[in-house]
């Protein structure tokens, strides 16, 4: 059984992961880089499991992975789950599973494609800004509901600042969130909805200095709650590879950034201790799934969809 890897520009993780899987010497299990040059409808995907680190940027890879799922290949992370996520839905899901999130407002877009005319927007009203900031409070955060990389994020202290920031949003789908003034901040890797690495995190430090010695200064009880919340989120999202950031205020962890299904695994930024943990536990998780020792996130809804009758024979 083969484990395939799809990657982008990252250099340190891919070969380390492949080497780790292969070095374990598990009978019948090998890992390799996937090579693609086009895919036919009836092509058989030759992998038991695929780790996806790049399809969010390459549409061809995303469509290939959907074909793989249709053939019963385990894909980490499942492209159907991943295609459906956004920060607003993530907050809805977090509340449903009992994880605290900032108060959040979904806003209408500022601009639309040229084909959208006034008649297409007849259900929209003027944005009641005062009502929204009464709900979220100030300061607040205006940011895109879709996308990452800390782009187009605005911290606003006044109503005028909020309106000015919104005027720069173009066609981006924005959300407005309560700003959590935190006493501590943590970032956790979660792999296989089972393995969690807990680390304090200095979000605004230089990239290579952001990870602070694991749990220093955070009580065991609070760590346990954070880990439990991380597992709830990843279970709900169906993500077997994710990082979750939480801001801790008055002893309550608030989920701030938890949709990172192609999370940073670069040795140079996460440093050696975390890199070793990620490589080892990614290899362990993938082997467990490939051997059928554990089940990936449920896709019962998709499994039912693809259990269609055999194709009918069409008369010439």
């Amino acid at each position: 059984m083969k484990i395939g890897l799809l990657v982008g520009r990252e250099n340190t993780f891919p070969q380390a992961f492949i080497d780790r899987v292969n070095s374990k010497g598990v009978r019948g299990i090998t890992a390799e880089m996937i090579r693609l040059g086009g895919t036919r409808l009836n092509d058989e995907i030759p992998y038991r499991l695929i780790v996806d680190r790049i399809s969010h940027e390459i549409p061809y890879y995303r469509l290939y992975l959907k074909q793989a799922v249709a053939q019963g290949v385990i894909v980490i992370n499942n492209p159907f789950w991943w295609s459906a996520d956004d920060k607003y839905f993530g907050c809805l899901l977090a509340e449903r599973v009992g994880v605290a999130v900032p108060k959040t407002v979904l806003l209408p877009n500022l601009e639309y494609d040229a084909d959208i005319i006034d008649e297409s927007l007849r259900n929209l009203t003027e944005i009641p800004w005062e009502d929204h900031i009464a709900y979220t409070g100030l300061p607040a955060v205006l940011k895109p509901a879709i996308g990452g990389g800390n782009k187009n994020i605005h911290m606003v202290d006044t109503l005028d600042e909020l309106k000015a920031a919104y005027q720069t949003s173009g066609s981006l789908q924005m959300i407005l969130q309560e700003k959590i003034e935190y006493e501590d901040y943590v970032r956790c890797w979660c792999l296989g909805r089972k393995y969690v690495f807990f680390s304090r995190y200095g979000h605004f430090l230089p990239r290579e200095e952001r990870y602070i010695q694991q749990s220093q200064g955070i009580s065991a009880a609070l760590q346990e709650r954070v880990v439990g919340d991380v597992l709830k989120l990843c279970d709900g999202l169906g993500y077997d590879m994710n990082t979750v950031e939480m801001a801790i205020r008055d002893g309550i962890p608030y989920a701030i950034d938890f949709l990172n299904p192609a999370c940073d695994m670069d040795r140079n930024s996460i440093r050696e201790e975390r890199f070793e943990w990620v490589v080892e536990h990614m290899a362990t998780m993938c082997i467990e799934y490939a051997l059928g020792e554990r089940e990936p996130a449920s896709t019962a809804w998709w499994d039912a969809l693809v259990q269609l009758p055999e194709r009918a024979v069409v008369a010439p």
Side-chain angles (χ1 to χ4, degrees), residues 95-114:
E95 284 198 331
R96 290 290 180 91
V97 300
V99 175
V101 289
K103 296 173 183 175
T104 303
V105 179
L106 178 66
L107 296 171
N109 294 52
L110 174 68
E111 298 174 359
Y112 298 87
D113 293 338

Side-chain angles (χ1 to χ4, degrees), residues 189 191 195-197 273-281:
W189 279 268
L191 302 178
Y195 304 111
V196 178
F197 189 104
E273 179 187 8
R274 283 163 287 276
F275 182 76
E276 170 60 27
W277 185 92
V278 163
V279 171
E280 175 63 22
H281 287 80

